[in-house]
Amino acid sequence: MGEVKSQYDIFRQKVHIIIYGTSTKAGRLFDLILLGLILLSVVLVMMETVNSFDLKYHFELVTLEWIITIFFTVEYILRIISIDKPWKYIFSFYGIIDLLAIMPMYLSIFFLGTSIFSVVRSLRLLRLFKILNHPQFTSQSVQLKQAINASRGKIVVFIYFVLIITIIIGSLMYIVEGKESGFTSIPASIYWTIVTLTTVGYGDISPVTPLGQFIASFVMILGYGIIAVPTGIVTAEIAKNSQKPTTSSHKPCEGCGAEDYPTDANYCPRCGHKF
């Protein structure tokens, strides 16, 4: 019994090195094959929406998608059994993405058309930065993450302010322009405000009265400032964090794959794995 357990532990260790390790040849080869299959699966989903191509090669497309899905399913299971705390991986960002990557094809057995959602597999390409494992990429990703977290409160307050502005301007345009100009309701007017504020300007609704055109001009100018504010907030935080030494160890945790723990840490702050 002990020998069987020992063999299983050896198997888990070898699988962990191949799947989670990027420093070994086998690990890098596995990751490169994985990225290639992810790209191929995304291309297959795209080509399936081209009617002429799908009519000619439908069977081949579906067969390849199922082969890739089975490979991803086996990989997902191996990722779970090869780490000490599988729940940390299952509920992590990459764990959820990996699960979503295999679900659409299985759901397509019961619900037609759901296989198109397999395009979510493109999110798995984010593993490219982990595969590269270059100190510059790692430190930059940590700085960006810290900057977004630090500016999250300011951005939420700013978006809340923008929502209030759109409601006020939308209601005002409904009163000024009226149904004759296409502003049939306050929600429709708010839609026009959002489209104009973001400088998209579809042109399906446009003001006719001089006062309405004046308000529209004000909203367009305001839109440029609204685009600049969140960019400035995040940029300021990035500049602030770039002056601080990075806390990344550049070596992923064997328990959960985390890379942003302090260099002098003895245990992973995310899963508790001992370094």
Side-chain angles (χ1 to χ4, degrees), residues 201-228:
Y202 291 128
D204 51 344
I205 305 175
S206 58
V208 177
T209 65
L211 179 58
Q213 292 174 347
F214 173 79
I215 296 174
S217 302
F218 172 75
V219 173
M220 293 174 195
I221 296 172
L222 184 63
Y224 286 102
I226 286 177
I227 292 173

Side-chain angles (χ1 to χ4, degrees), residues 139-152:
S139 61
Q140 293 297 329
S141 63
V142 171
Q143 288 181 13
L144 180 60
K145 180 180 178 181
Q146 291 174 346
I148 293 175
N149 287 334
S151 57
R152 182 171 51 191

Side-chain angles (χ1 to χ4, degrees), residues 5 49 65 76 86 112 129 238:
K5 186 176 181 181
T49 61
E65 286 179 13
Y76 180 74
L112 294 176
F129 296 103
I238 291 176

Side-chain angles (χ1 to χ4, degrees), residues 14-40:
K14 289 182 177 179
V15 171
H16 185 278
I17 292 173
I18 294 174
I19 293 181
Y20 288 96
T22 57
S23 58
T24 63
K25 289 184 178 180
R28 292 185 69 85
L29 179 61
F30 173 82
D31 288 332
L32 291 174
I33 293 174
L34 180 63
L35 287 178
L37 289 176
I38 294 170
L39 284 172
L40 177 60

